[in-house]
Structure formats: structure tokens, C-alpha cells
Amino acid sequence: MSSQTATTPRIALVTGTSSGIGAAVVEHFCQLGHQVLAVDFNPAGKAIAEKAGAAFFEADLTDPEACRAAVADAVKRFGGVDILVNNAGIQHVASIETFPEEKWRQIMDLMLTAPFLLTQAAWPHMREKGWGRIINVASIHAQVASPGKAAYISAKHGMIGLTKTAALEGGEQGITANAVCPAYVKTPLVDNQIADQAKLNNMDEKDVIENIMLKQAAIKRLIEPEEVAQLVGYLASDAAGAVTGSSFNIDLGWTAH
Ligand code: NAD
């Protein structure tokens, strides 16, 4: 391996790894030589993780004990957590007037409280080594809003606050924290939304992609999960040691308006 591509092997914990962006991050990290614990509530994630060369821990991250158990499993297997990627997420599309309270709470538990609890549990292990990387997979909906996604957008905006606070507290301890903010990525999470958005807006599915999802985009295509994984890989690297407290849009030009 040339010195330009050499990566120090690290221990990584990645959440939401049974499909989409999380699965792509696990594969990329394994290719970089990291030891990876893939965490998901879907047991199908085991085969996906093992195929990539990662270990798997089954956990419903809406449960605080399961968050702590996931970090404990990484510590038991590999001896610590150097890189934490908070990626697990769900979507629910409904107007504020009709938004079910239990969905609001589920989204907050999974997409804001779990990243906090995982960060809290991983922190002492990063501090002990004087090296840590926290990468929060937020969204362009951490920067701007769209109708029909109150809980998701609120959780993602909150994730930026968590990222900035972790960056300030981690600065003297060798721990960086950053967020990535993609626009629409070709994953099951988006596939499911197309039908929901069609119903909400009384449109057909092709119109949803062209006139809602790609309306603000300068580049008229969906993003590939691997493109997001490459950015996560950079933020997790030694090369990104001076980068902290930042949000990186990978948004096809959406927010250039
Ligand atoms: P996805 O549906 O393909 O993957 C989400 C993963 O989270 C799945 O493996 C699922 O099993 C897991 N998960 C869901 N609930 C869980 C729970 N309670 N406990 C543990 N695991 C759980 O979605 P994706 O598009 O790859 O999304 C990954 C992240 O990227 C999410 O946080 C999402 O908000 C964010 N994101 C996605 C897009 C996009 O367009 N796809 C854009 C911006 C941000």
C-alpha cells in the first residue's frame, strides 16, 4: 500500500447497517482495514455485515440499554471504539396536524437520543486513546425543511447541535465530531418515501422524484450510498484531524440556491 492510501486500522461502530448508507459505510471501512461492528435491529444485517468482513450486533437503538450494550460489545470484541458513525434512521411522512405522537417519539429516540447515548458510551474509550472520530449522518433536512417531515427534520437539526457540542468538548481530547448532510440517496428509505409523498401530494411517483426530490438539485440524479460512504471515510481518517464541528452537504447543489 502506498503512503498516500495507507490508513491506520481503527475500531469502528456503525449503526443502521442492514441496507443503504450504513451498509456502504461498513463495506468501505472494511476495505480500509478497520475492525467494524455493524449494529442494526434487522437480523438480515448479520449476513450483510459478515460478507463485508464486519461483526454484527443486533440492537433496537430506540432502547437506551441496547445502545450501551452495542458499545460494550465493540469494547469486548475489539478493545474500544475509535470511530462512531451514527447512521440508523427512519422516516414518517405526515402533516403536523396528523403526525402520530408515537412516531414523533420513535424518531427522536432513534435519531437523536441514540446518537447521544452512543456518543456518551463511546467517549471514554476515545478519550483514553486521545483519538476519536464521531460522524453523524444527518441530512440536508438538517439545514432546510420540507413539509410533511416534522419529526425527521427536528431530529436532524438537533443532530447538528449534538455534533457541534461534541466537537467543542472533544477538541482537547483528540476527538472530532462532524455531520454529513446528503440530499436524496438511492436507498430503501427513499424508495418508501416516494409512495408516501405521492399520496400526500396527490402526484404520481415519477412526478415525486422529478418535482419534489430533485426540484432543488443542480445535478438531476439520486446520490449513490457509496458516495456518502467515501465522505464518511475521509472524516474518519487521520487526514481529517483538523476538521471538527462541521456539516458537509452532499446535496447535488440543493442549498446553492
Ligand atoms: P435505510 O432504510 O436503507 O437504512 C436505515 C437502517 O437503519 C436500516 O438498516 C434499518 O434496519 C436501521 N434501523 C431502523 N430502525 C432501527 C432501530 N430501531 N434500531 C436499529 N437500527 C434501525 O436508510 P438510508 O437511506 O441508508 O438512511 C441512513 C441514514 O441516512 C438515516 O439516518 C437517514 O436519515 C440518512 N439520510 C438518508 C438520505 C436518503 O436519501 N436515503 C438522505 C439524507 C440522510
Side-chain angles (χ1 to χ4, degrees):
M1 199 184 274
S2 82
S3 60
Q4 282 191 320
T5 55
T7 305
T8 310
R10 305 281 183 187
I11 302 160
L13 189 161
V14 184
T15 71
T17 55
S18 293
S19 67
I21 296 167
V25 170
V26 168
E27 200 174 338
H28 184 51
F29 277 2
C30 287
Q31 283 163 0
L32 290 172
H34 298 319
Q35 289 178 296
V36 183
L37 183 64
V39 180
D40 204 290
F41 76 160
N42 182 350
K46 187 169 192 300
I48 293 161
E50 286 173 357
K51 188 166 173 239
F56 180 70
F57 186 79
E58 191 180 321
D60 180 344
L61 296 168
T62 59
D63 172 2
E65 283 312 317
C67 293
R68 290 186 271 269
V71 170
D73 190 70
V75 172
K76 195 171 140 210
R77 276 175 207 262
F78 302 131
V81 176
D82 305 321
I83 301 168
L84 170 65
V85 181
N86 285 308
N87 168 75
I90 52 171
Q91 179 61 278
H92 187 83
V93 179
S95 65
I96 290 175
E97 203 179 350
T98 62
F99 209 93
E101 184 185 336
E102 72 274 13
K103 272 286 163 200
W104 170 277
R105 291 189 187 281
Q106 184 189 4
I107 286 176
M108 290 300 157
D109 286 348
L110 177 63
M111 291 162 58
L112 195 50
T113 304
F116 163 70
L117 293 172
L118 288 159
T119 299
Q120 187 176 55
W123 196 278
H125 304 284
M126 296 180 179
R127 176 172 39 73
E128 270 165 30
K129 284 196 191 165
W131 196 99
R133 296 280 186 271
I134 299 160
I135 298 114
N136 291 324
V137 180
S139 167
I140 207 59
H141 280 124
Q143 314 284 354
V144 297
S146 299
K149 301 181 179 179
Y152 184 95
I153 287 164
S154 301
K156 293 299 192 187
H157 276 68
M159 197 177 217
I160 299 297
L162 176 64
T163 305
K164 288 180 180 174
T165 309
L168 294 182
E169 293 188 14
E172 295 293 307
Q173 304 178 11
I175 301 170
T176 68
N178 293 286
V180 300
C181 297
Y184 289 99
V185 185
K186 217 186 278 171
T187 72
L189 184 133
V190 161
D191 290 342
N192 295 337
Q193 272 180 73
I194 295 171
D196 289 348
Q197 286 277 10
K199 211 165 110 194
L200 185 76
N201 296 290
N202 202 15
M203 285 177 162
D204 70 31
E205 296 194 359
K206 187 168 162 283
D207 282 346
V208 169
I209 296 174
E210 284 173 10
N211 297 323
I212 296 186
M213 295 188 166
L214 298 179
K215 187 175 173 212
Q216 303 291 343
I219 300 167
K220 300 285 183 191
R221 67 169 174 85
L222 297 177
I223 301 162
E224 297 295 334
E226 293 73 22
E227 293 178 292
V228 181
Q230 293 281 338
L231 179 56
V232 172
Y234 165 69
L235 292 170
S237 71
D238 285 321
V243 182
T244 198
S246 294
S247 301
F248 291 82
N249 296 353
I250 170 164
D251 72 352
L252 308 163
W254 181 328
T255 50
H257 286 276

